[in-house]
Amino acid sequence: MGHDRDVDRSSDRDPSAEEGRLGASDGDATPRVLRSFVDAVPTPTLACDPETHEIRAANATAADLFDRDRGTLTLMGLEDLGESETTVAGDSIGDALDADGVTRFEWSVASAPTRRLELAVRAATIAGREWLIVGVTDVTDRVTADERLRSQLRLVDAVAATIPAAMFECTTRGTLSRWNERFAADAGYGGEQLSGAALTSLFDDESRAAVTDSLQSVYGDEASVQCEATLVTRSGECVPYRLSLGPIVDGDRVVGAVGVGEDVTEASLREERLAVLTRVLRHNFRNDLNVVRGFTERAVAAVDDPTLATELERVVDTADRLLRVGETSRRVERLLADQPAPGPIDLAAAVDEAMAALPSELRGRADIETEVPAGITVSAVGYLAEAIAELVDNAIRHNDAARPSVTVTAAELPSESWTSLVVADDGPGIPPAERAVLTGEETPLEHASGLGLWYVNWIVSAGGGTFDIGESKTGGTRIEIELRTADEA
């Protein structure tokens, strides 16, 4: 009730005297109530004269932000704080401050280093007169992050415009958000037509599921995937297309997908034509060589001249060698088409399989000794037995001895977590041109005469192993294959 009496008494006071009391100052024209109001605001705040834009009050957080004491700030005009007389948008600071209502603008402030501030300005009546109340927010970090992002986007755009491949970006909903000109050209659509379009809508019904599954793998498993699909252009043309998709990760979540597209029409046609060419050539090659071999054997049996018979036998041997090259080329083609992945293989079983695959005629005219401990498992592709058989086959066929000797041994190398498999013989050794298969020193005039070593090398390399040619203790050839043990692969 005492409060009510005070109110009642105040009604008898002179309003002008009350205004003078509230507006009492500390020796200048700034009312104390204005300073109290500004001090009560928790964020950086200034009060300015609406006519001159002079700063008349500043709170402690504003003083900290501008790194000046409040007394210094109140001796300055608001425009004195900035390094430019215009806002970031290019408007005059004076016009921005004099605008009606609440005005927001960004401004660069001169300090070390230069900072970007956002000012929110509004007029307010305090202690009987109008003031400009200026709220200040430091947005330097946000602006720096935005500029860094824009710089990264400019780099991505430059890369996307430079590389000869179609590139695009999808949202988490699978809709297109960005792409380069190559992708738009492949699809045959303009930018306004691609914007927001579902990636899957660009492909035919039969391959759309493959694209959907690939996107789900990207978003759900954060996996990078490839798929083959048929792109349907705006004109209705069906284009064989290869997609490579990967996740865009922000922290611990996928926020989109990036993709590279490739029109594989020419590659598909080339592979198809090469396959036909290879099949026809191999068929004719084999048939014609068999005819040559058959007639030559008949000629050998019919002639009485020993010299001529020897020459004809060389024709038979050459035909046999070419037939083996043709067979090896078929196996190489199969290997390259399969693109096998390495897996655990029992080495002793692989050697046994290789020995069983040798022609019985070869096994019968050579001494073959194997010494492969049981229980050794290596990381290799499923063609390992064929590689071992090829090495033993070569060791026998190219040996001038009356009864060739070949040894196949294996040993674990615990210190290196590798296993060594050695095929050694007592033959004449491999010519330098053949060894150049592994060193890359071949020239057009000096090249390997067969595919056997290439085939073995590709099988070993596909399994992550190494392949080396040396000299055996008997002066023949020593070929060592090193493969990782399965536990260490």
Side-chain angles (χ1 to χ4, degrees), residues 79-238:
E79 286 92 333
D80 297 333
L81 296 175
E83 64 173 10
S84 171
E85 295 182 355
T86 59
T87 68
V88 171
D91 300 322
S92 165
I93 291 295
D95 292 343
L97 293 174
D98 294 338
D100 295 332
V102 178
T103 304
R104 292 181 180 272
F105 60 90
E106 291 189 5
W107 194 24
S108 295
V109 174
S111 61
T114 299
R115 289 180 295 173
R116 179 78 66 82
L117 302 181
E118 182 184 68
L119 277 63
V121 184
R122 65 175 179 173
T125 301
I126 300 176
R129 62 168 293 187
E130 188 174 87
W131 301 93
L132 289 181
I133 305 302
V134 183
V136 185
T137 304
D138 188 343
V139 295
T140 305
D141 291 343
R142 187 208 72 201
V143 171
T144 301
D146 288 347
E147 179 55 35
R148 186 181 300 114
L149 177 60
R150 283 192 293 271
S151 177
Q152 292 173 346
L153 291 177
R154 287 194 294 270
L155 174 61
V156 171
D157 288 340
V159 171
T162 303
I163 65 173
M167 294 186 66
F168 58 89
E169 179 182 337
C170 289
T171 67
T172 52
R173 298 188 303 276
T175 57
L176 292 166
S177 56
R178 301 176 71 212
W179 54 88
N180 64 358
E181 292 183 3
R182 179 62 181 270
F183 183 74
D186 284 353
Y189 290 96
E192 69 283 354
Q193 296 165 314
L194 286 175
S195 181
L199 177 64
T200 55
S201 68
L202 301 178
F203 298 90
D204 69 355
D205 294 339
E206 293 183 3
S207 58
R208 191 168 297 156
V211 179
T212 300
D213 292 343
S214 297
L215 285 174
Q216 289 176 347
S217 296
V218 170
Y219 296 135
D221 305 329
E222 296 186 19
S224 296
V225 297
Q226 281 191 347
C227 71
E228 304 287 336
T230 300
L231 177 70
V232 181
T233 69
R234 184 183 181 186
S235 62
E237 181 184 2
C238 293

Side-chain angles (χ1 to χ4, degrees), residues 324-339:
R324 288 195 300 273
V325 169
E327 176 59 25
T328 304
S329 70
R330 184 189 65 79
R331 290 186 287 159
V332 168
E333 182 182 5
R334 183 191 57 184
L335 171 67
L336 297 178
D338 286 351
Q339 297 182 340

Side-chain angles (χ1 to χ4, degrees), residues 19-20 24 66 103 106 122 127 160 194 237 254 263 269 282 284 288 311 371 387 391 395 410 435 437 478 486:
E19 179 178 336
F66 291 105
T103 304
E106 291 189 5
R122 65 175 179 173
L194 286 175
E237 181 184 2
V254 177
D263 181 345
L269 287 174
R282 189 167 55 234
N284 292 346
D288 290 347
E311 292 175 353
E371 188 176 341
L391 292 177
R435 298 193 185 196
V437 170
R478 180 184 185 274

Side-chain angles (χ1 to χ4, degrees), residues 300-315:
V300 170
V303 299
D304 296 327
D305 186 343
T307 301
L308 181 58
T310 300
E311 292 175 353
L312 291 174
E313 286 173 354
R314 289 186 60 186
V315 174

